Amino acid sequence: MSADRLTFAPSKNNNKIQNIIMAIVGKKFPSVSIDAMSEMGDDLKINVFEEAVSKGKKVLLFWYPKDFTFVCPTELHAFQAALPDFEKRNTIVIGASCDTNEVHFAWLNTPKDNGGIEGVTYPILADTHRQLANILGIVEQEVEYDEEGNEIFSGSNVTFRATYLIDETGKVFHESVNDMPVGRNVKEYLRLIDAYAHVQKHGEVCPANWEEGKEAMNANRTGVAEYLSAN
């Protein structure tokens, strides 16, 4: 099934467009090239799917609502602080919002103690047309129609805090979406990457609260029985 968002026309009793967001875990990430900004001020084009496949790396793509806001810089600095840990796990980190490259660059040149993200070194997508964000269905916006059929938009028109983990084949193995006021726990994504890498290497499955170095189990009745009896 397509990762595109399915949209239904309003009925006679409901003049609001209803959106059904399709999960893309287990599917290939959309292959779309998007403008991006580097730490050095270079205008880039990044295709997240191709980044994973062509480089043979996992990708963590995280969306945040808006530059020059409040929770957002804490997350960008948290991912930057953990960048060596992601690199050890053969994982590329990419940020994303719907701001322009120019706004990204201004924020990258604003000191941390003034609310900026100076020191962030991974690229940031500038999905100003909401092309990829709308495919993923993560933009906070609804469309209603008045009695004359005119469109009335509501919502912030920026993205929720969506996060995608993509493997070396371009397949999504994790997705999550936080509401805008709730920041992410970066360590959890490291744990998820470790767990998925364990599955890839050993063919075992990882139980609840699994962490690197802990016991995993075989995906059969004997495996779960042995694990539960020991834990």
Side-chain angles (χ1 to χ4, degrees):
M1 184 172 287
S2 170
D4 291 0
R5 188 171 57 172
L6 302 182
T7 304
F8 294 87
S11 68
K12 292 181 180 179
N13 297 322
N14 182 6
N15 67 342
K16 182 180 291 186
I17 291 289
Q18 300 294 325
N19 297 313
I20 298 178
I21 301 170
M22 306 305 295
I24 61 171
V25 168
K27 303 179 178 68
K28 299 295 185 181
F29 192 81
S31 181
V32 181
S33 294
I34 301 295
D35 290 335
M37 173 56 60
S38 78
E39 60 167 318
M40 302 302 294
D42 298 317
D43 292 321
L44 309 173
K45 280 279 189 182
I46 292 180
N47 182 316
V48 174
F49 174 85
E50 291 296 336
E51 285 289 299
V53 174
S54 66
K55 295 180 179 178
K57 293 179 178 287
K58 294 179 176 66
V59 176
L60 182 147
L61 172 66
F62 74 98
W63 293 81
Y64 62 91
K66 206 170 184 180
D67 294 0
F68 290 100
T69 52
F70 317 112
V71 175
C72 298
T74 69
E75 292 192 311
L76 272 80
H77 285 298
F79 279 109
Q80 178 64 35
L83 200 57
D85 295 315
F86 286 107
E87 291 172 348
K88 288 177 185 176
R89 291 163 172 81
N90 197 40
T91 301
I92 300 167
V93 174
I94 301 174
S97 81
C98 297
D99 293 282
T100 66
N101 269 352
E102 291 77 14
V103 175
H104 285 340
F105 189 56
W107 205 25
L108 283 162
N109 282 279
T110 301
K112 182 178 180 180
D113 60 9
N114 197 28
I117 58 167
E118 186 177 41
V120 166
T121 61
Y122 49 81
I124 305 173
L125 300 187
D127 190 15
T128 54
H129 296 292
R130 278 80 173 156
Q131 183 182 7
L132 180 54
N134 277 325
I135 290 173
L136 297 171
I138 57 173
V139 179
E140 191 210 20
Q141 186 177 80
E142 293 182 337
V143 183
E144 298 181 10
Y145 291 87
D146 62 21
E147 294 179 354
E148 287 75 35
N150 299 311
E151 292 179 331
I152 302 172
F153 294 93
S154 61
S156 65
N157 201 31
V158 299
T159 65
F160 293 102
R161 299 186 191 281
T163 313
Y164 299 88
L165 291 175
I166 302 148
D167 73 11
E168 299 86 348
T169 70
K171 186 182 80 172
V172 178
F173 65 91
H174 169 84
E175 65 176 315
S176 59
V177 183
N178 290 10
D179 200 355
M180 295 177 193
V182 182
R184 282 162 278 218
N185 183 338
V186 174
K187 291 181 180 179
E188 173 62 5
Y189 301 109
L190 294 170
R191 188 193 73 84
L192 289 167
I193 292 168
D194 285 342
Y196 191 76
H198 184 93
V199 172
Q200 289 177 307
K201 182 176 181 180
H202 300 286
E204 296 179 314
V205 294
C206 297
N209 300 320
W210 183 92
E211 294 177 341
E212 183 65 43
K214 289 188 175 181
E215 180 184 0
M217 62 186 189
N218 294 318
N220 52 45
R221 290 184 179 181
T222 301
V224 68
E226 291 177 348
Y227 179 84
L228 291 175
S229 65
N231 296 274

